[in-house]
Amino acid sequence: MSLKDHLYDLRHRLGLALLFIALGAIFGFFWWGWNIFGLPSLGQVVISPYCGIPVTDRFNQNGNCQLLQTKPFEAFMIQLKVGAAAGMAITAPLWLYQVWRFIAPGLYAKERKFALVFVFCASVLFVLGAVLAFYVVPQGLTVLVGFGDSQFLTALSGGDYIDFVLALLLIFGVSFELPLIVVMLNQVGVLTYDKLRRWRRGITFGLFIFAAIATPGTDPVSMVALAVALTLLFELAIQIARIHDKRAARKRKAEGWDELADDEASPFDYTPSAVDGAEAPVESVAPKEPHRVRYDDAT
């Protein structure tokens, strides 16, 4: 394809991706108040962590769990924002497929397989991080509103609460991708198991510092939950690196790479491969004796 055709294809793929995202946002906007197939509505799902706060510690008018609208059209903007985020998550396979269709022609078969595994694992880890954050929110809010005893009553505005929840979901989801990056760097030979093993204590300490800085709230629950989860995932990544390095070492030993002297030719196969579509096979060419350079003591 020419550069012009690539640009046309990029425009086509981006247009389809934006169309899917827009359709998902419309669905999420109306899902805010819908109970589809008996399932809770999107509004009920989003507000449920806030409703997990004890009734005695939060604003409770007419026995209902409600947020405050302190600005004009604040409820509309919250419904639009949450609906767009939910629709983008629901339609993720559709618009990610368009991105994949654009970059896949430029990859080899092995690279495509590697990229598919990376995208699948990244998606699973992001969802796991978001789910963990969703269950951490009630405990974190309970700790935060517990200060001040009975002198304070919690009445969160809708905008502040939604921003807090979305930020926590995003931070947890993105943070869960860090161990996957470590595994990928090990696969390509940048990070070895020996380095990761020596850096284990420093990595663990850094993860707790990262969790303390990254979490939007000041509660210790979300910080400890994120730090412990990342520590376990990093330990899993280190063990995967250990298995990979052992296999790579056995492969090098079986192929004789470690037994070669510094001035010895590498054991490459010099036989050319057959040409696709050729009527007769290509004759094998005997390898030539590698040129050797002799160094005397003076050198």
Side-chain angles (χ1 to χ4, degrees):
M1 297 176 63
S2 62
L3 178 60
K4 183 179 180 181
D5 294 332
H6 277 294
L7 293 177
Y8 283 150
D9 184 57
L10 176 62
R11 183 183 64 179
H12 175 68
R13 299 300 174 188
L14 287 178
L16 290 177
L18 292 176
L19 176 61
F20 290 135
I21 293 175
L23 293 176
I26 295 174
F27 172 77
F29 179 83
F30 289 103
W31 183 27
W32 179 271
W34 283 355
N35 293 94
I36 305 175
F37 303 113
L39 299 175
S41 64
L42 181 59
Q44 293 172 345
V45 172
V46 173
I47 203 176
S48 59
Y50 172 72
C51 297
I53 301 175
V55 180
T56 56
D57 295 334
R58 60 175 169 81
F59 181 71
N60 186 27
Q61 184 180 15
N62 301 326
N64 296 324
C65 179
Q66 296 173 311
L67 296 172
L68 297 179
Q69 181 178 201
T70 59
K71 301 177 183 178
F73 302 106
E74 184 177 10
F76 172 80
M77 295 305 299
I78 291 174
Q79 184 175 347
L80 182 63
K81 181 190 302 184
V82 177
M88 191 173 182
I90 294 174
T91 59
L94 298 177
W95 56 266
L96 284 177
Y97 176 73
Q98 300 302 321
V99 177
W100 173 253
R101 285 292 303 271
F102 177 73
I103 65 175
L107 302 177
Y108 293 106
K110 184 178 180 180
E111 293 173 340
R112 293 180 187 177
K113 181 179 179 181
F114 191 78
L116 285 175
V117 172
F118 178 83
V119 172
F120 174 78
C121 294
S123 302
V124 172
L125 288 174
F126 186 90
V127 171
L128 291 177
V131 170
L132 177 62
F134 188 79
Y135 284 102
V136 165
V137 171
Q139 286 73 24
L141 289 177
T142 302
V143 173
L144 290 177
V145 303
F147 295 100
D149 296 330
S150 59
Q151 283 75 29
F152 295 91
L153 183 66
T154 302
L156 299 178
S157 65
D160 294 338
Y161 170 75
I162 295 300
D163 291 341
F164 172 76
V165 172
L166 292 180
L168 201 64
L169 293 177
L170 182 62
I171 289 172
F172 270 66
V174 174
S175 299
F176 271 46
E177 308 294 338
L178 298 178
L180 179 61
I181 297 177
V182 172
V183 173
M184 293 303 173
L185 291 177
N186 173 256
Q187 296 289 323
V188 298
V190 176
L191 286 177
T192 62
Y193 168 71
D194 292 334
K195 291 182 179 180
L196 295 174
R197 179 176 55 83
R198 293 196 303 265
W199 297 346
R200 180 183 278 115
R201 293 183 179 180
I203 291 175
T204 302
F205 180 73
L207 290 177
F208 276 84
I209 295 179
F210 169 78
I213 298 175
T215 49
T218 56
D219 63 289
V221 177
S222 58
M223 181 197 73
V224 173
L226 179 60
V228 172
L230 288 180
T231 301
L232 294 177
L233 288 175
F234 263 93
E235 184 61 31
L236 178 61
I238 291 174
Q239 297 305 317
I240 294 176
R242 180 178 65 86
I243 296 174
H244 173 264
D245 289 357
K246 282 188 176 181
R247 290 180 178 177
R250 288 196 298 265
K251 184 177 180 181
R252 286 180 58 87
K253 184 177 181 180
E255 294 178 353
W257 288 91
D258 296 333
E259 299 177 357
L260 294 176
D262 294 338
D263 58 348
E264 187 176 353
S266 301
F268 292 121
D269 184 9
Y270 295 93
T271 304
S273 59
V275 179
D276 296 336
E279 298 181 357
V282 180
E283 296 181 358
S284 300
V285 180
K288 296 182 180 180
E289 180 67 21
H291 179 68
R292 302 177 183 273
V293 180
R294 182 176 180 181
Y295 296 89
D296 53 14
D297 297 335
T299 305

